[in-house]
Amino acid sequence: MADFYPDLFQSLSSDAQELPMYRRLFELFRQNILSGRLSGAEKLPSSRDLSNQLGVSRNTVKTAYEQLIAEGYVQSRQGAGSFVTELPAELLQPESKPSVNSDRLPELSEKANRLLQSQSMYPPGRLLLQPAVPALSDFPRKRWKRCISAAADNEALYSHPAEGYLPLRQQVARHLSAFRGMQVSPEQILITSGSQQGSYMIASLLTGQGDSVWIETPGYPGTEGVIRAAGAEVRHLHWQMLQQAKLPERGRLLFITPSRNFPLGHTLPLSARLEVLHWAEQNNSWLVEDDYDSEFAVGSPVTALFALSKERRVIYTGTFSRTMYPGLRLGYMVLPEVLVPLFRKARRFMDGGLSVVPQVAMARFMENGDYSRHIRKLRQLYLQRRQSLEHLLAESGLKDFPVIDAGAGMHLVIKLSNDCDDQALVEPLVQQGVGGRALSHYDRSCQPARGLVLGFTQDDDVEMARGVKIVTQAIRCLNLSCN
Ligand SMILES: Cc1ncc(COP(=O)(O)O)c(C=O)c1O
């Protein structure tokens, strides 16, 4: 019997052992046909001969041949056998041919390049003193599991309204009325996969060519990234300019955190809120109110800007990432009535709406009081943990460093001198398991403020003390000062 392709099958016993033999055989033929090693019109051995040579069953060879025929690599001719398909030489992919710039993206649009320049987000994993992550160990898992399990049985699963599950929208409307002084109908609410998705929709639907989108700085880098992803041009408005109501001449959109600047925590004074609303009305602009953690703000949070806007120029974005857990990927936006049809239609075509199970579970969790109970418990816990962190800092080698604690719900900021490199702190901290973030990471002004943003939500007293010790040593080691 002839020995077909003497060196072709050498790798067959060692390659991709986890795949079934017919698949390995198919892959081997496929690669050799595409590389031109098996030339067009070449006749393949019969399945009987090849199975004898390879010591595999005839069925295995037949199945591999059938797959090659189904995918067009081989053609079967009645009574004559199977032949390699003739492919034009320029379409072959010879092994020797280097893969041209395979690690480089083809030429990108301006929009894509702007997106690639955006800052990256947090490293994954649990870190001490990490901002923006809720106390996950205090999450009422059993109660949530009950809601998830009931949701899996719900007949609502057979429909998927793009705007979101109605009972959840009703619960969100109730929550906003109780917590944020907002009187809105469920029709104005769109359930999102988080504030990020809301911001993306706003930036992509409400901007056109040449429109500027203003964002507050310091601010959440994700907002900037998402606006870039939507293809709009980002401009930065310093929070102090906003506080003094020194507003840009014009702009299609202005993203702000009026209840608490992120991460500084300052509240926008009433006069500036009214000025901002007036600016939006005069300029035919939209304001986006990112209300990311009002549930945990110290004292009772100021009424939402949305509720102040008589002319309905405000779009409100809220999230369950901080009150529940970030991986839930659920949030909501509240729209002025006039925008509802546009956003609903866009949603239908963008992603058809969200998976229904978590929405049903979330609606139940809110309806039976678990959500508000959980928020009350976390508020209490965070107040204690905020005090613990402030106390530990006051007792540490950092006692002379000013702490900016304007009452944001989940973190505070240690102020560093404006001429020091706060970003240099981050890597040594992460290496020692501490997740503090440089203040300048959030500040896109030409003279970014320097400091260290520290979360106090997740750590008990012992963990927090360990984190503060590491932070103190790192600041000392780098010789960073506060003035
Ligand atoms: C200020 C601010 N806005 C928006 C978001 C995004 O939230 P979501 O997870 O709902 O997309 C975050 C996330 O941490 C945030 O800190």
Side-chain angles (χ1 to χ4, degrees):
M1 188 192 66
D3 193 5
F4 304 103
Y5 317 124
D7 37 303
L8 189 77
F9 295 119
Q10 268 168 11
S11 60
L12 200 58
S13 51
S14 55
D15 268 5
Q17 296 273 4
E18 71 284 2
L19 293 178
M21 182 52 97
Y22 90 87
R23 189 80 211 176
R24 280 146 66 189
L25 196 53
F26 161 79
E27 282 298 335
L28 201 65
F29 273 113
R30 192 181 72 81
Q31 282 159 17
N32 282 284
I33 292 170
L34 278 182
S35 72
R37 204 164 154 211
L38 290 179
S39 42
E42 186 164 338
K43 185 170 186 226
L44 297 186
S46 72
S47 55
R48 184 192 306 274
D49 287 347
L50 192 57
S51 72
N52 282 339
Q53 177 185 328
L54 297 178
V56 299
S57 81
R58 196 165 161 205
N59 256 348
T60 299
V61 179
K62 273 186 169 168
T63 313
Y65 277 13
E66 278 162 17
Q67 189 68 28
L68 287 164
I69 292 167
E71 295 196 21
Y73 294 100
V74 167
Q75 285 163 348
S76 155
R77 290 189 209 140
Q78 193 76 39
S82 300
F83 297 82
V84 174
T85 303
E86 287 186 74
L87 294 168
E90 66 275 18
L91 298 186
L92 294 177
Q93 304 168 346
E95 279 152 24
S96 55
K97 191 170 148 193
S99 58
V100 185
N101 297 333
S102 62
D103 55 347
R104 243 191 24 216
L105 282 166
E107 201 168 303
L108 291 174
S109 65
E110 202 181 315
K111 162 182 161 177
N113 276 318
R114 276 206 299 263
L115 178 60
L116 278 175
Q117 283 157 22
S118 306
Q119 301 195 34
S120 55
M121 312 293 274
Y122 297 99
R126 163 89 160 89
L127 297 167
L128 299 175
L129 301 177
Q130 188 170 358
V133 184
L136 300 175
S137 53
D138 287 75
F139 184 71
R141 277 160 212 267
K142 274 197 189 136
R143 289 174 177 277
W144 177 241
K145 266 191 202 162
R146 255 181 253 147
C147 294
I148 287 277
S149 135
D153 262 347
N154 196 297
E155 60 192 41
L157 304 191
Y158 301 111
S159 67
H160 59 101
E163 64 276 16
Y165 177 55
L166 179 60
L168 178 56
R169 288 187 283 122
Q170 288 165 335
Q171 288 302 324
V172 170
R174 253 179 234 146
H175 172 77
L176 292 174
S177 159
F179 273 86
R180 308 297 291 114
M182 290 165 64
Q183 303 310 320
V184 299
S185 88
E187 273 59 51
Q188 289 171 264
I189 295 172
L190 206 71
I191 303 298
T192 59
S193 64
S195 315
Q196 287 281 98
Q197 189 185 37
S199 302
Y200 180 77
M201 289 188 74
I202 295 165
S204 48
L205 293 176
L206 299 182
T207 56
Q209 192 128 44
D211 281 337
S212 312
V213 175
W214 289 87
I215 60 174
E216 187 182 351
T217 195
Y220 175 55
T223 305
E224 176 159 351
V226 105
I227 295 167
R228 288 186 163 162
E233 194 180 325
V234 176
R235 297 179 168 229
H236 299 100
L237 179 64
H238 198 267
W239 73 277
Q240 279 169 334
M241 304 288 272
L242 188 62
Q243 296 256 325
Q244 295 160 27
K246 291 188 177 150
L247 300 167
E249 214 162 279
R250 68 172 71 88
R252 192 79 182 109
L253 283 169
L254 170 58
F255 281 74
I256 48 176
T257 46
S259 296
R260 300 276 163 192
N261 166 276
F262 182 75
L264 296 175
H266 301 294
T267 300
L268 198 61
L270 178 65
S271 56
R273 295 162 157 255
L274 295 173
E275 290 272 9
V276 170
L277 286 173
H278 183 67
W279 173 87
E281 287 155 18
Q282 296 297 303
N283 287 288
N284 199 18
S285 311
W286 296 102
L287 299 170
V288 185
E289 175 174 22
D290 177 3
D291 204 29
Y292 60 98
D293 80 346
S294 288
E295 286 86 353
F296 305 121
V298 175
S300 57
V302 292
T303 306
L305 190 66
F306 186 97
L308 283 182
S309 175
K310 290 254 176 317
E311 293 278 327
R312 315 257 185 265
R313 303 303 305 181
V314 182
I315 304 167
Y316 176 99
T317 60
T319 180
F320 290 113
S321 293
R322 302 228 182 185
T323 48
M324 296 287 287
Y325 55 94
L328 180 60
R329 300 315 302 148
L330 270 187
Y332 43 91
M333 61 198 298
V334 188
L335 296 158
E337 287 91 341
V338 69
L339 290 178
V340 170
L342 169 66
F343 277 70
R344 280 193 175 193
K345 190 155 274 184
R347 194 61 200 281
R348 201 159 301 143
F349 295 122
M350 265 179 70
D351 64 0
L354 297 173
S355 167
V356 182
V357 177
Q359 295 188 68
V360 176
M362 192 66 225
R364 277 184 88 98
F365 197 71
M366 293 178 95
E367 196 183 320
N368 64 21
D370 283 335
Y371 186 60
S372 46
R373 243 190 312 278
H374 180 50
I375 290 178
R376 275 200 300 277
K377 187 178 153 202
L378 287 187
R379 269 184 76 86
Q380 205 49 42
L381 181 71
Y382 293 171
L383 280 175
Q384 286 162 13
R385 289 189 167 169
R386 170 198 301 277
Q387 281 169 4
S388 300
L389 181 56
E390 289 190 336
H391 177 74
L392 283 165
L393 288 171
E395 298 281 297
S396 75
L398 300 176
K399 61 178 183 304
D400 296 329
F401 286 67
V403 171
I404 308 174
D405 181 7
M410 298 167 76
H411 62 266
L412 48 75
V413 183
I414 300 179
K415 185 76 191 74
L416 296 171
S417 143
N418 274 353
D419 56 13
C420 64
D421 180 6
D422 54 359
Q423 311 253 1
L425 263 176
V426 175
E427 209 185 308
L429 287 181
V430 169
Q431 273 168 8
Q432 295 174 83
V434 174
R437 285 308 311 256
L439 178 56
S440 62
H441 170 74
Y442 304 96
D443 191 338
R444 309 278 283 139
S445 55
C446 32
Q447 285 179 319
R450 310 289 171 164
L452 191 64
V453 183
L454 297 177
F456 47 70
T457 48
Q458 294 201 89
D459 310 319
D460 62 26
D461 285 351
V462 176
E463 290 167 327
M464 212 179 257
R466 188 150 45 91
V468 168
K469 200 168 161 197
I470 294 170
V471 168
T472 310
Q473 279 163 355
I475 289 182
R476 281 220 189 111
C477 191
L478 286 169
N479 225 355
L480 304 182
S481 66
C482 57
N483 46 37

